Amino acid sequence: MCGIIGYTGPAAVKNILLEGLAQLEYRGYDSAGIAIAKDDGSIYIEKQTGQVANLKAICDQADDDGHCGIGHTRWATHGGVTRPNTHPHQVGRVTLIHNGIIENYHEIIEKFDLKDQLVSETDTEVAAALLNHFYDGDPEEAIRKAVQELEGSFAFCILFEGFTDRIFCIRNVSPLVASSTPEGSLVASDITAVIKYSKQYFVVPEYHLMVLYQDHIDLFDENGVKAEPEILEVNWDVESAQKMGFPHYMLKEIHEQPEAIIKTITPRLKNGLPCFEGEGIDDEFFKNFTNINVVACGTAMYAGMVGKAIIEPIVKVPVSVNIASEFRYSTPLIDKHTLTIVVSQSGETIDTLAALRLAKSCGSRVLAIVNVKGSSIARESDYVLYTHAGPEIAVASTKAYSVQLSVFYLLACKCALVRGIFDETKGREFIDNLYKCIDAISGVLEHKEIIEKAVEHLKDAEHAYYIGRGLDYAFSMEGALKLKEVSYVHAEAYAAGELKHGTIALIEEGIPVVAFATQDAVYNKTISNIREVKARNAYVILITKEDAEIPEGVCDLHLTVPIKDDLFTGLPTVVILQLIAYYTSIARGLNVDKPRNLAKSVTVE
Ligand code: F6R
């Protein structure tokens, strides 16, 4: 939610900010703006609604004067998508950008009588006015005083009049990373905007005051004592965050799945069996819990649904899957015998982070499945299993989901081994099956034509239904979400047997129903449910295993996944669903990488 970039150094800052904003645009694209401290000490501010390209178009005419500046791409929360609401906000001698939400901004306006200074509807401008109120020539003092008043989440980058060669930063919850490089100092919401300049960076610790100078960065803890940052290194390069010849990031990331899965599972195998010793997790850990509590949001939560469908029947421990935004305000029935698994691509989703903290406070141990190294969720969890998907830039999650599933497979296998449910032979067979999924995904990617046929029917639809039983139901949830978010076709997932309890009333002639029947144990039951919608003239797109015998007239289009074992049909099936969503979006002429109203990395409640 919102992208932040700041630079001070020997180079002209304007293009560094604009390029950085383009890299961060997936975090929000309602409007964008920059503030540059000119060499004469004045501050040049430019902002524009819409995407960063709009801002760039007007900034191109401006000269390159200025070596210190801040930039912001907005995902609107407080106040509409207007130019006045666009960051940076300037009040008096303070110019700032902000990611997060100041929850008590109304109270602050009243308490400090700031109303007359405000021209926007944003909470951010109130923070700028508050800083200006406290600023008497000492930026650090002003920040410390202001932060004591603020409730909520924030990552601020601030320019103070009189100190226009440096950037002052502070954060609570909302992410901020920084890097000191020979070409200057950088701060950003995430590493994608920094990697062009350095692979080394650090996560700004919460409530630490950071000052970026041209040639170094100073960091001070809450007591004003100088702190040493913990330097991290990214294990991917600048090309990973580019399209590499694909028309869109989403398509590129769909194609990256085989490699991402290999990178995620291979380093965690020892003698062909899962081993998490590298992550500091010994076998004992997997023996002791009595139940599992998965908490996540959106696609990551749907990965958890698949995790439940894999782990429960094998390991025979109850798995509950919870929506983090609900869980965080609930009274969970968990304790030290519960293993909480939090799942997050970004590692910054605020609801998931809050859920993690609640689980810990109940005594539960927390294991995180996270993609972004050093992220808040990774840092606060007891144990972390990083997924190695590389940067996911398209707003719709694809490769992050499949690597999350792969980790659930590894966990299921590990638990079964340490609890004596699998012997080593069975364990190796399980891992072999997981590897077969990778080939199956490559097979799906090579035969996309049939998917385009499905799209022919979906592209003009207003509604679509995804149905399946068991594991198939778990995949269908993710399939429906993908279609909704990138193509704006209203799609719902239903347990196939549940349709007749209400939803079947919505089925009418031609309505697309994507039906999954990859599970032998419920195959005939699912086929009966499909017949029920077919009898009401739905257009049925059926997905089965290759060897399934399809009764006459049960579907209009038949797609298959080249997998034999029911437990492993998920990964290739999901790739089909992602491609269906992608091509439907393209056929409808939409911006598939940046669907409306969305942002990656949801750092607000
Ligand atoms: C959908 C999507 C979202 C995220 C959700 C959680 O394609 O990307 O539903 O899965 O916002 O985000 P993370 O995984 O970063 O916690």
Side-chain angles (χ1 to χ4, degrees):
M1 299 264 131
C2 299
I4 281 182
I5 172 96
Y7 168 83
T8 180
V13 68
K14 187 181 80 179
N15 285 337
I16 294 179
L17 296 181
L18 291 170
E19 275 174 27
L21 288 181
Q23 290 295 337
L24 292 169
E25 202 172 16
Y26 64 88
R27 301 181 64 89
Y29 31 87
D30 287 331
S31 62
I34 53 172
I36 293 177
K38 309 278 274 182
D39 294 342
D40 64 5
S42 65
I43 296 199
Y44 161 84
I45 297 183
E46 195 51 86
K47 11 173 128 174
Q48 197 53 262
T49 52
Q51 301 199 357
V52 173
N54 299 0
L55 174 70
K56 189 171 178 317
I58 46 171
C59 289
D60 276 347
Q61 278 108 55
D63 60 37
D64 271 340
D65 185 15
H67 298 84
C68 174
I70 52 181
H72 186 270
T73 175
R74 177 168 186 247
W75 187 81
T77 58
H78 292 59
V81 179
T82 63
R83 201 168 177 279
N85 289 341
T86 301
H87 303 213
H89 289 285
Q90 187 173 51
V91 179
R93 300 194 292 158
V94 172
T95 308
L96 107 174
I97 52 176
H98 167 221
N99 171 22
I101 289 182
I102 307 301
E103 287 167 2
N104 61 337
Y105 75 108
H106 281 302
E107 290 88 321
I108 290 177
I109 296 173
E110 293 298 316
K111 183 171 171 188
F112 295 94
D113 194 18
L114 302 175
K115 196 161 182 277
D116 293 344
Q117 300 175 45
L118 307 174
V119 295
S120 79
E121 305 155 288
T122 63
D123 53 332
T124 302
E125 196 187 18
V126 177
L130 182 68
L131 280 157
N132 186 54
H133 170 86
F134 286 125
Y135 184 47
D136 62 3
D138 182 344
E140 294 169 25
E141 192 55 25
I143 292 172
R144 285 191 210 288
K145 284 184 178 159
V147 159
Q148 277 172 17
E149 299 291 336
L150 298 176
E151 286 167 21
S153 56
F154 49 82
F156 292 125
C157 294
I158 315 159
L159 299 176
F160 284 92
E161 196 179 287
F163 295 89
T164 49
D165 61 340
R166 64 199 78 165
I167 302 169
F168 296 83
C169 312
I170 195 156
R171 79 173 190 101
N172 174 39
V173 184
S174 306
L176 214 49
V177 298
S179 181
S180 178
T181 81
E183 287 110 82
S185 301
L186 289 125
V187 58
S189 298
D190 76 46
I191 186 70
T192 42
V194 172
I195 190 150
K196 179 173 170 196
Y197 307 94
S198 173
K199 282 189 154 191
Q200 295 197 323
Y201 69 104
F202 62 91
V203 177
V204 181
E206 283 180 350
Y207 285 107
H208 281 46
L209 197 140
M210 181 173 74
V211 190
L212 266 70
Y213 296 88
Q214 292 217 348
D215 56 356
H216 73 283
I217 296 177
D218 279 347
L219 194 63
F220 303 94
D221 70 13
E222 282 127 294
N223 303 315
V225 177
K226 209 154 182 204
E228 274 309 309
E230 188 193 332
I231 304 296
L232 302 170
E233 184 149 342
V234 268
N235 55 1
W236 44 270
D237 47 26
V238 90
E239 285 77 37
S240 313
Q242 291 172 346
K243 287 189 201 144
M244 303 299 288
F246 285 91
H248 302 100
Y249 282 114
M250 183 172 172
L251 191 60
K252 175 191 171 229
E253 289 162 8
I254 289 172
H255 278 80
E256 283 172 343
Q257 291 177 106
E259 193 193 336
I261 297 170
I262 292 172
K263 281 189 177 159
T264 299
I265 60 179
T266 309
R268 299 194 168 105
L269 295 177
K270 196 168 157 188
N271 301 324
L273 296 171
C275 172
F276 300 101
E277 279 164 10
E279 273 102 358
I281 316 178
D282 59 19
D283 284 2
E284 216 47 38
F285 176 85
F286 296 99
K287 271 188 198 151
N288 293 333
F289 55 83
T290 54
N291 60 315
I292 297 179
N293 163 43
V294 181
V295 197
C297 299
T299 288
M301 194 264 296
Y302 291 142
M305 299 295 256
V306 177
K308 173 183 165 76
I310 299 166
I311 293 173
E312 267 186 353
I314 298 177
V315 188
K316 313 263 183 315
V317 292
V319 181
S320 59
V321 182
N322 290 290
I323 297 171
S325 56
E326 290 293 315
F327 179 84
R328 65 179 290 187
Y329 294 114
S330 67
T331 314
L333 302 176
I334 57 171
D335 57 22
K336 63 177 182 193
H337 304 294
T338 308
L339 169 64
T340 293
I341 304 181
V342 289
V343 190
S344 176
Q345 187 284 127
S346 62
E348 299 294 348
T349 302
I350 191 93
D351 288 322
T352 310
L353 183 60
L356 175 170
R357 289 175 179 162
L358 176 63
K360 272 181 132 179
S361 74
C362 297
S364 171
R365 280 157 303 159
V366 177
L367 171 73
I369 302 176
V370 171
N371 197 41
V372 176
K373 218 171 155 183
S375 54
S376 305
I377 292 174
R379 289 198 314 278
E380 292 199 26
S381 297
D382 297 315
Y383 300 95
V384 190
L385 297 178
Y386 282 113
T387 50
H388 298 300
E392 196 181 58
I393 306 288
V395 166
S397 197
T398 53
K399 60 178 177 172
Y401 174 82
S402 20
V403 289
Q404 288 158 0
L405 295 197
S406 329
V407 173
F408 275 114
Y409 280 107
L410 291 182
L411 288 174
C413 185
K414 184 72 191 176
C415 293
L417 284 162
V418 299
R419 288 168 186 244
I421 299 163
F422 281 2
D423 59 17
E424 290 199 354
T425 312
K426 180 83 182 127
R428 287 201 182 90
E429 201 182 295
F430 188 93
I431 298 298
D432 278 354
N433 276 328
L434 185 53
Y435 271 98
K436 282 187 190 140
C437 291
I438 300 169
D439 293 337
I441 292 175
S442 304
V444 168
L445 290 170
E446 277 161 27
H447 296 101
K448 294 191 290 255
E449 320 76 51
I450 181 115
I451 290 162
E452 283 167 5
K453 279 199 192 152
V455 169
E456 267 310 296
H457 199 81
L458 277 160
K459 74 178 191 334
D460 300 316
E462 267 183 64
H463 309 280
Y465 294 92
Y466 283 62
I467 62 170
R469 285 171 178 256
L471 251 181
D472 283 338
Y473 175 45
F475 313 139
S476 62
M477 293 181 204
E478 172 59 5
L481 175 61
K482 243 13 19 136
L483 189 71
K484 274 185 273 211
E485 66 176 329
V486 299
S487 77
Y488 317 152
V489 174
H490 166 239
E492 294 303 333
Y494 278 93
E498 182 65 11
L499 271 185
K500 55 188 165 298
H501 299 287
T503 312
I504 202 159
L506 295 168
I507 302 294
E508 52 187 35
E509 177 143 19
I511 206 153
V513 173
V514 182
F516 304 85
T518 72
Q519 303 296 299
D520 284 351
V522 285
Y523 182 76
N524 289 334
K525 304 287 171 201
T526 310
I527 293 293
S528 300
N529 298 138
I530 297 170
R531 284 190 195 284
E532 289 158 12
V533 294
K534 195 74 203 110
R536 282 142 186 103
N537 296 321
Y539 181 90
V540 175
I541 300 162
L542 175 62
I543 303 177
T544 68
K545 291 188 291 184
E546 266 178 354
D547 53 6
E549 280 175 26
I550 303 301
E552 188 79 13
V554 81
C555 67
D556 298 277
L557 191 65
H558 181 205
L559 286 75
T560 59
V561 283
I563 286 283
K564 289 198 163 43
D565 189 313
D566 290 9
L567 206 58
F568 293 88
T569 52
L571 282 162
T573 302
V574 144
V575 176
I576 293 180
L577 302 181
Q578 295 166 346
L579 288 168
I580 286 179
Y582 170 81
Y583 285 111
T584 305
S585 172
I586 299 301
R588 288 165 74 98
L590 301 172
N591 186 343
V592 71
D593 280 341
K594 294 183 195 130
R596 69 184 175 206
N597 305 340
L598 292 175
K600 203 144 183 100
S601 199
V602 184
T603 51
V604 296
E605 279 197 51

